[in-house]
Amino acid sequence: MTITITAFERSPDGGKGLARDTRVRWALEEVGQPYEVRLVSFRAMKEPAHLALHPFGQIPTYEEGDLALFETGAIVFHIAEHHAGLLPGDANARARAITWMFAALNTVEPPILELATARLLEGDKPWSKERLPLVENRIRDRLDQLSVRLGEADWLDGRFTAGDLMMVSVLLRLNASGILVGYPNLLAYVARGEARPAYQRAFAAQAAINAGKPLAG
Ligand SMILES: N[C@@H](CCC(=O)N[C@@H](CS)C(=O)NCC(=O)O)C(=O)O
């Protein structure tokens, strides 16, 4: 059955891979599933046809036969559940990998998103200069803890899992801030994720769209 995901017709990041379709592409590449992409404009995302797929009018969505999903966490989990490669077979290791997916989305990503809001949407507010260091410190608190837990390991729990895919995707959002530079093991962790051939293919596919040259097939 054909898998179709949605992505920005033109991503606000110009193709840096930060739009969340990259996470879904990466998961599909890791498990070797071909997929098609339907590009949507900001206007189309808020129209009834897209809202029927995604109640919040966002990307990405995932369609496969009569199944339609939204929310990257749910989509990546679905992919990992149905195809080998992203979740361990051992039940406890599997549960821990899923825990890391939730940790990435629920515990690490929120302060990172707050920083983007503080910079992009609130940068002109009179209180912005005072708020920014507070937000950055909340990120550092999480990175301190994550860095200690990762230590010198390659991945969060043994082999690479969907938990790492999600955590690396979330940490990539910090690239422009320079905050990760204070955490050599996390920098190396993110680099290991980016070096994976599946990530490279996912990144190249979204970059090509944003450069106006979609890759064939
Ligand atoms: N929690 C959602 C967030 C989805 C989201 O924020 N998507 C962004 C692109 S990365 C979007 O569509 N933004 C446009 C908008 O919200 O209007 C997920 O993980 O899928």
Side-chain angles (χ1 to χ4, degrees), residues 22-42:
T22 305
R23 304 173 186 189
V24 174
R25 292 170 184 272
W26 186 5
L28 288 166
E29 293 286 355
E30 288 284 351
V31 302
Q33 282 298 303
Y35 62 96
E36 292 181 358
V37 182
R38 191 169 60 251
L39 301 178
V40 286
S41 65
F42 270 91

Side-chain angles (χ1 to χ4, degrees), residues 8 19-20 42 45-46 58-60 71-72:
F8 283 130
R20 287 173 177 81
F42 270 91
M45 283 188 329
K46 310 301 175 196
Q58 298 180 314
I59 60 99
E71 282 298 329
T72 343

Side-chain angles (χ1 to χ4, degrees), residues 6 38 47 50-51 55 82 127 151 171 182 192 204:
T6 49
R38 191 169 60 251
E47 286 173 354
H50 189 75
L51 287 171
H82 288 84
W127 35 262
L171 294 178
R192 267 191 296 282

Side-chain angles (χ1 to χ4, degrees), residues 151-212:
E152 295 311 310
D154 279 355
W155 307 113
L156 288 165
D157 195 275
R159 53 159 271 206
F160 176 85
T161 71
D164 295 297
L165 184 152
M166 208 54 95
M167 191 64 83
V168 168
S169 298
V170 162
L171 294 178
L172 275 167
R173 288 190 163 254
L174 283 172
N175 269 353
S177 74
I179 292 178
L180 271 183
V181 171
Y183 302 87
N185 68 336
L186 294 182
L187 265 183
Y189 172 63
V190 170
R192 267 191 296 282
E194 287 179 294
R196 291 180 72 82
Y199 177 83
Q200 300 276 319
R201 289 194 293 274
F203 183 90
Q206 65 75 38
I209 282 171
N210 285 291

Side-chain angles (χ1 to χ4, degrees), residues 142-153 183 185-186:
R142 288 296 176 236
L143 297 184
D144 287 344
Q145 295 160 325
L146 185 66
S147 170
V148 167
R149 171 54 79 101
L150 179 66
E152 295 311 310
Y183 302 87
N185 68 336
L186 294 182

